[in-house]
Amino acid sequence: MPIQIQPFFEPVTGTISYVLADPASRDAAIIDPVLDYDPASGRTRTAAADAILAHVRSQGLTVQWILETHAHADHLSAAAYLRQQAGGRVAIGASIRQVQGVFKTLYNLEADFPADGSQFDHLFTDGDTFRIGTLTVTAMFVPGHTPADMAYRVQDVVFTGDTLFMPDLGTARTDFPGGDARTLYRSIRRILALPDATRLFACHDYPPDTRPAAWESSVAEQKAHNIHVREGITEDAFVALRQARDATLSAPALILPALQVNIRAGRLPPIEENGVSYLKIPVNALP
């Protein structure tokens, strides 16, 4: 029986979350879930995550894993909420420690905040395998967008995170702390070395007016049509193109609230003595 993949497109942040299910065992993983956040009011909501929960429950699925491809800068993670509601182990790449170290300093976080990845239930390294029911999944280390990006491969499918977008949008930016265009190119070439029929599922889409949101492509389609890394574009050409593009981009709207939550595996900062949790906004600290 083919694996089951249910996408959930969240239009405010352009994020696609997934439920990956084993039809034999009814075990499942949730990938890159979104916690709704209104920066004007400082309020969180769980509408996007609740849609995932409704699907899990209606299909009789057991959540074994909640997988993050990286610490996202464009949305807050709903991993902690979903773990509370549905169980499962929250996992990310082991290089999250490097990201935590950078942002612990930027936010001047509490002295006892551990930059060791212990907020997550499991840390993957390149080539690690794990199970979702009868399915075997392989973790692929694909840094470049950030130093801690992971992709997840199962059968003929790869969840690419923020490495590759749809071919008409190209690739992820590389100007975040620890990002590197040359490293991203090499990570992408590793994905594009897989068989042409491999199905690729992106974490984001920002569709132009000419098409609806989309998230699935193939290795063959990316090699033929990706505007940044199709066949024939050299590493040096990609680096020049990517760096020029990055120089024109503004910071993501939610980068400052999102990262201090996402390096905590989707938990809000500790509640203070007045019973309120606070998100810190460093002033004039980002480039």
Side-chain angles (χ1 to χ4, degrees), residues 264-287:
R264 300 177 190 269
R267 299 178 184 89
L268 296 177
I271 293 173
E272 299 192 12
E273 60 272 12
N274 63 350
V276 178
S277 177
Y278 290 87
L279 295 172
K280 301 174 77 171
I281 303 297
V283 177
N284 297 328
L286 286 183

Side-chain angles (χ1 to χ4, degrees), residues 8-83:
F8 295 84
F9 180 65
E10 198 289 297
V12 175
T13 63
T15 304
I16 303 98
S17 307
Y18 297 95
V19 175
L20 165 65
D22 172 19
S25 67
R26 310 309 296 161
D27 292 314
I30 298 169
I31 304 172
D32 289 330
V34 174
L35 181 69
D36 305 285
Y37 175 70
D38 176 20
S41 66
R43 288 195 172 274
T44 63
R45 296 184 302 111
T46 59
D50 288 339
I52 292 174
L53 284 174
H55 173 77
V56 165
R57 290 165 178 163
S58 71
Q59 298 299 306
L61 302 176
T62 298
V63 176
Q64 290 188 316
W65 294 94
I66 301 169
L67 305 174
E68 299 282 11
T69 54
H70 63 295
H72 301 271
D74 40 34
H75 68 266
L76 280 65
S77 170
Y81 171 73
L82 288 169
R83 183 179 184 271

Side-chain angles (χ1 to χ4, degrees), residues 101-119:
V102 169
F103 286 98
K104 178 177 182 177
T105 299
L106 177 70
Y107 293 115
N108 195 30
L109 296 181
E110 59 272 17
D112 61 354
F113 175 86
D116 60 3
S118 58
Q119 299 84 353

Side-chain angles (χ1 to χ4, degrees), residues 109-273:
L109 296 181
E110 59 272 17
D112 61 354
F113 175 86
D116 60 3
S118 58
Q119 299 84 353
F120 297 84
D121 297 310
H122 190 84
L123 301 179
F124 292 117
T125 59
D126 187 48
D128 284 350
T129 60
F130 59 101
R131 306 284 286 186
I132 302 171
T134 66
L135 304 175
T136 298
V137 186
T138 301
M140 300 175 64
F141 184 44
V142 287
H145 171 58
T146 79
D149 285 65
M150 302 298 291
Y152 300 104
R153 182 184 182 191
V154 53
Q155 296 181 0
D156 66 341
V157 165
V158 179
F159 296 92
T160 63
D162 281 12
T163 53
L164 285 163
F165 297 147
M166 295 303 290
D168 60 341
L169 293 187
T171 62
R173 64 195 297 168
T174 59
D175 56 338
F176 295 151
D180 182 80
R182 200 166 296 278
T183 301
L184 179 61
Y185 182 88
R186 295 171 184 175
S187 293
I188 290 172
R189 295 315 305 179
R190 186 178 172 206
I191 293 172
L192 297 186
L194 296 171
D196 280 355
T198 303
R199 302 163 65 197
L200 306 179
F201 288 85
C203 180
H204 289 288
D205 191 41
Y206 310 103
D209 293 338
T210 54
R211 66 165 176 82
W215 39 82
E216 181 180 354
S217 62
S218 69
V219 165
E221 290 167 345
Q222 292 285 352
K223 289 196 298 188
H225 302 298
N226 188 288
I227 60 173
H228 295 162
V229 289
R230 65 182 177 272
E231 292 288 275
I233 296 180
T234 66
E235 181 175 316
D236 286 343
F238 172 77
V239 169
L241 181 156
R242 187 66 263 172
Q243 290 178 342
R245 170 68 175 152
D246 290 347
T248 70
L249 299 177
S250 301
L254 296 182
I255 183 171
L256 290 174
L259 279 167
Q260 59 194 295
V261 171
N262 296 346
I263 61 174
R264 300 177 190 269
R267 299 178 184 89
L268 296 177
I271 293 173
E272 299 192 12
E273 60 272 12

